[in-house]
Amino acid sequence: MIFNKDIARKTAEVLLQVNAIKLSPKEPFTWASGWKSPIYCDNRIILSFPPIRNYVRETMAKQIEKQYGKPDAIAGVATGAIGIGMLVAEYLGLPFIYVRPDAKGHGRKNQIEGFIEKGQNVVVVEDLISTGKSSLNAVSALRDANINVKGMIAIFTYGFETATKNFENADVILQTLGNYDSLLEQALDTKYISEEQLKTLSEWNTNPSEWNSI
């Protein structure tokens, strides 16, 4: 769920501006999953643009305070959300931790990096939501460590139905700055894409695992 339409459209604007999101209906990308996709999102790019990262940092931080008050810490999901998560924590004056996909196989064998006490409250920061599995894996690790997850906030979501179900089943509140529908609206209004390309992009989002470029 996006916070509001204005934030979603502004987020789409800045992500397109710095090519954090690329739309290519005629020459689709191949994801690690093997899916063919007319869109590719790499939100880590925003870290290289101070005005854009500051917008994301401040907007995320203000929405976290509005929705949850101040948690005890901010938790980033490795690796994509470590940078922006730390910026949000810094803005709020809070401790920061991050969660690996798996525990390390050496040293202290941590999956959660940083200091946090059992029973404390965190809001999880993520950069991108596709199916939500890797994000919810981080939530599971935090819960297993007896840390209370208040919710998750992400920069962008593709809005897949499977992600919605995964978050509902895990009883995790997900809120995002931007989403796929607002991205397409912004891209069409600014003539980044044509009406024909809009149709292709909409079809992909309905059934991404089976989609083939047209």
Side-chain angles (χ1 to χ4, degrees):
M1 176 187 296
I2 56 173
F3 290 108
N4 64 58
K5 194 72 172 179
D6 291 338
I7 290 175
R9 286 294 293 265
K10 178 63 177 179
T11 300
E13 177 188 342
V14 299
L15 293 179
L16 288 169
Q17 179 184 333
V18 298
N19 287 320
I21 288 180
K22 293 184 178 181
L23 300 174
S24 181
K26 291 186 177 180
E27 297 182 9
F29 306 95
T30 301
W31 287 5
S33 63
W35 288 5
K36 294 291 184 180
S37 169
I39 177 174
Y40 191 81
C41 182
D42 181 4
N43 288 329
R44 286 168 289 197
I45 290 174
I46 68 172
L47 298 174
S48 300
F49 297 88
I52 306 303
R53 75 182 185 219
N54 287 341
Y55 163 75
V56 172
R57 175 193 67 172
E58 292 175 18
T59 305
M60 274 193 162
K62 289 175 181 177
Q63 292 301 323
I64 286 171
E65 282 194 301
K66 182 178 179 180
Q67 298 294 322
Y68 305 107
K70 277 195 176 183
D72 296 305
I74 297 296
V77 180
T79 60
I82 291 177
I84 195 64
M86 188 170 181
L87 289 171
V88 170
E90 177 68 17
Y91 187 89
L92 291 171
L94 293 175
F96 175 72
I97 61 174
Y98 70 86
V99 187
R100 297 174 178 273
D102 300 290
K104 288 191 298 185
H106 60 279
R108 296 171 63 192
K109 299 184 178 181
N110 292 340
Q111 184 171 4
I112 299 170
E113 298 287 5
F115 176 79
I116 190 165
E117 296 181 347
K118 292 180 179 181
Q120 288 193 308
N121 298 318
V122 301
V123 173
V124 180
V125 170
E126 181 63 289
D127 68 325
L128 173 67
I129 304 295
S130 52
T131 64
K133 288 184 179 179
S134 59
S135 307
L136 291 170
N137 180 61
V139 171
S140 179
L142 290 164
R143 286 174 169 171
D144 287 346
N146 295 315
I147 296 164
N148 182 33
V149 177
K150 303 287 289 183
M152 182 180 294
I153 179 171
I155 299 173
F156 184 79
T157 178
Y158 291 113
F160 296 150
E161 183 178 351
T162 184
T164 301
K165 290 180 179 178
N166 286 338
F167 276 89
E168 288 177 353
N169 291 338
D171 193 25
V172 176
I173 298 170
L174 171 67
Q175 293 171 306
T176 66
L177 301 188
N179 65 356
Y180 194 74
D181 290 342
S182 297
L183 172 73
L184 295 188
E185 290 176 11
Q186 179 68 20
L188 186 64
D189 287 351
T190 57
K191 302 189 186 306
Y192 188 98
I193 58 172
S194 65
E195 290 282 358
E196 181 181 354
Q197 290 172 322
L198 174 66
K199 181 180 178 182
T200 301
L201 288 158
S202 298
E203 289 172 348
W204 169 79
N205 191 249
T206 302
N207 192 10
S209 64
E210 302 296 328
W211 181 86
N212 288 308
S213 64
I214 299 172

